[in-house]
Amino acid sequence: MAGPFFRKKEAAERVPNPGIAPAPQEKASAGEPDSSSRSDSQSGLIAAGKTQPDKKALDLIFAVEQMLQARAHAESSNDELLDRLNHSGSHIERLGKELRNLNKVIEDREKDIQELEQRMSEKNLKIDQVLEDFRELQDTMSAKVDELKSTLDLEQQKYAKLMQKHHEAHVDKHRRIIELEEKISRLETENGHLQQKYETARQEKAYLSGMISDFTSRMTAPFSSGSPDAERNEEYGDT
């Protein structure tokens, strides 16, 4: 909308001022109207006074006519400029109203931005606090993990020692079991020999006990016909 206004303004600025003589080109372009107006003025003066005007009077008349035309043109240009000024004023008023609305919108946006910045600041503070707590927790957990690793290493070392002791005890137990089995086998063999000896000794003892009992009964019993003696001799194998 500003383009036509500036074009019209440039056209108005190219209009000659009333007090300035026109350019040579404008004189050349307006040569015929000037000669006709000059001839009309001369004929009017001749008819009126029957006298021939001089060149200065004709130039003065021509200058006055040029001034009148320039004035008329200036008035029309002034009216056009006033219309443009009024149109521009309404346009400026509308732009001012839009500017005020835009300023209000900008103020609202700035308030929203400030609120968002405040919220972001609060959230950033919370995030910083959470990060700080997380770092502290991470440090604590790292210390505990290191402590647990040390404890686990010690326990693994203890377990390795216990496994070694268990292996040694298992080997020793197996060795002792083999030794005890060999000893048991040897004792069973010895026991078998002892049982044989005991059985032989028991039989010998029984035999000796029988002989002693028989001798004792012979020494204490009265002498008889001999039939019991013969039976006892047959029992022990005597003939």
Side-chain angles (χ1 to χ4, degrees), residues 41-211:
S41 300
Q42 289 175 359
S43 61
L45 291 172
I46 292 169
K50 301 293 182 179
T51 59
Q52 183 69 27
D54 56 358
K55 187 176 182 298
K56 291 183 179 181
L58 292 175
D59 291 336
L60 181 60
I61 293 169
F62 178 72
V64 171
E65 289 179 355
Q66 290 292 328
M67 292 175 63
L68 292 174
Q69 290 178 4
R71 182 178 179 182
H73 188 271
E75 289 179 355
S76 62
S77 298
N78 190 17
D79 294 335
E80 184 178 358
L81 291 174
L82 288 174
D83 294 335
R84 292 179 183 178
L85 182 61
N86 293 327
H87 179 72
S88 299
S90 62
H91 183 66
I92 291 170
E93 185 178 0
R94 184 172 63 256
L95 291 175
K97 185 176 181 181
E98 292 178 357
L99 181 61
R100 287 192 295 273
N101 293 330
L102 288 174
N103 289 328
K104 189 175 184 304
V105 172
I106 290 170
E107 290 178 358
D108 295 335
R109 293 291 185 273
E110 288 178 352
K111 289 181 180 178
D112 295 336
I113 290 170
Q114 290 178 357
E115 291 178 358
L116 290 174
E117 288 178 350
Q118 183 68 25
R119 293 178 183 176
M120 289 295 294
S121 299
E122 294 176 356
K123 288 184 179 180
N124 288 330
L125 290 175
K126 291 181 181 179
I127 291 171
D128 293 336
Q129 184 64 37
V130 171
L131 288 175
E132 184 67 24
D133 295 338
F134 175 75
R135 283 193 290 269
E136 292 179 358
L137 181 61
Q138 190 175 11
D139 294 337
T140 304
M141 293 299 294
S142 299
K144 289 184 178 180
V145 168
D146 294 335
E147 184 179 357
L148 289 174
K149 284 182 179 179
S150 301
T151 305
L152 182 62
D153 293 336
L154 292 175
E155 293 297 328
Q156 286 179 348
Q157 293 176 2
K158 290 180 181 180
Y159 178 75
K161 291 180 180 179
L162 289 175
M163 287 298 296
Q164 185 177 0
K165 289 181 180 180
H166 174 70
H167 181 68
E168 293 175 355
H170 181 71
V171 172
D172 185 66
K173 181 180 179 182
H174 184 68
R175 181 179 58 78
R176 289 180 64 186
I177 287 172
I178 292 172
E179 292 176 355
L180 289 174
E181 287 178 351
E182 292 177 353
K183 186 175 181 180
I184 288 170
S185 178
R186 187 173 63 251
L187 289 174
E188 285 179 351
T189 303
E190 292 177 359
N191 189 22
H193 293 305
L194 290 174
Q195 284 182 356
Q196 289 180 359
K197 290 179 181 180
Y198 173 76
E199 186 66 23
T200 301
R202 188 182 65 78
Q203 290 178 0
E204 290 177 356
K205 184 179 179 181
Y207 178 73
L208 291 173
S209 297
M211 290 180 66

Side-chain angles (χ1 to χ4, degrees), residues 206-225:
Y207 178 73
L208 291 173
S209 297
M211 290 180 66
I212 292 171
S213 297
D214 183 57
F215 179 74
T216 303
S217 62
R218 284 180 182 181
M219 292 298 291
T220 57
F223 295 97
S224 61
S225 59

